[in-house]
Amino acid sequence: MSAEAHTSLYFVRHAESEFIEGQERKRGLTDQGHRDAEKITNLLHAEDVEVFYSSPYLRAVHTIQMLADVVGKPVFIEEDLRERALSGSHIKHDDFYEAKRQLYLDAAFAFSGGESGNDAQARAVKIIEQLLRKHAGEKVVIGTHGDIMTLIFQYYDPAFGFEFWKSTTMPDIYRLDWNMADRKLLKITRMWE
């Protein structure tokens, strides 16, 4: 298989970020998050990554920015890679995990002011498909979030769902390898321990 026929996407779930009500887009990283971003930089620099995209949320951008700076490349922001909105800010969920589970049980369901799995997945996968076409044969880093990452993976492999989402860490890294000759996802490899 030629190098041009092989494409790798590195999904980097953001590092630790302090929760601040109403600051979904502007939350940066904690001190631990910054230390983990440095570890991510060291780990992925050895992978010879070439291109960087991110959700517009600062915690996702900041998690991969140091690596992009070391490589000397910009981080391109893609609005449609943002995290799925659980619900409108006027709704409070007594059990966050149960609310998430409900969303995974019915991909068409959405809480008031929120986004269904079907809708979030469709917008995000559209970007992933564009990146696969535009960057065939390259290694692309994507700054992301647990829920939208799970929905993207689920599109390519239905085995990914609530239990996978619940098992992911902050940060987390998964490499998806494609054979571009037949547009086939070859494997998904977790790179964060």
Side-chain angles (χ1 to χ4, degrees), residues 42-167:
N42 294 333
L43 176 67
L44 291 185
H45 189 258
E47 294 286 312
D48 294 323
V49 291
E50 302 158 287
V51 184
F52 299 84
Y53 286 87
S54 181
S55 153
Y57 293 11
L58 288 183
R59 60 191 183 274
V61 176
H62 290 172
T63 301
I64 65 169
Q65 186 67 61
M66 184 185 307
L67 174 60
D69 290 346
V70 166
V71 175
K73 302 285 186 176
V75 175
F76 298 105
I77 303 301
E78 283 289 347
E79 179 64 29
D80 283 343
L81 292 178
R82 69 189 177 278
E83 181 62 300
R84 168 175 40 181
L86 178 61
S87 57
S89 60
H90 61 286
I91 295 181
K92 301 297 179 217
H93 298 275
D94 293 331
D95 186 334
F96 176 73
Y97 287 98
E98 179 57 26
K100 285 283 192 180
R101 192 179 70 76
Q102 279 186 264
L103 292 170
Y104 281 99
L105 286 174
D106 181 357
F109 173 74
F111 292 106
S112 177
E115 193 174 17
S116 74
N118 287 342
D119 290 342
Q121 184 183 70
R123 66 157 159 87
V125 167
K126 181 179 176 185
I127 299 300
I128 298 306
E129 289 293 312
Q130 289 172 4
L131 296 182
L132 286 170
R133 284 190 300 276
K134 183 175 182 178
H135 298 289
E138 295 182 283
K139 295 179 177 183
V140 181
V141 173
I142 299 170
T144 191
H145 308 271
D147 200 9
I148 199 67
M149 177 178 75
T150 301
L151 291 170
I152 292 166
F153 292 5
Q154 189 178 62
Y155 176 82
Y156 296 102
D157 182 345
F160 288 87
F162 175 73
E163 291 302 323
F164 170 77
W165 168 80
K166 202 167 73 167
S167 76

Side-chain angles (χ1 to χ4, degrees), residues 1 5-11 47 132 138-140 174-180 182-191:
M1 174 170 42
H6 186 253
T7 302
S8 297
L9 302 184
Y10 296 79
F11 287 82
E47 294 286 312
L132 286 170
E138 295 182 283
K139 295 179 177 183
V140 181
Y174 290 85
R175 185 182 73 222
L176 279 63
D177 295 308
W178 268 269
N179 177 344
M180 297 307 290
D182 59 8
R183 293 296 299 242
K184 182 179 178 188
L185 176 61
L186 300 172
K187 64 181 175 176
I188 297 177
T189 307
R190 185 170 190 237
M191 298 183 66

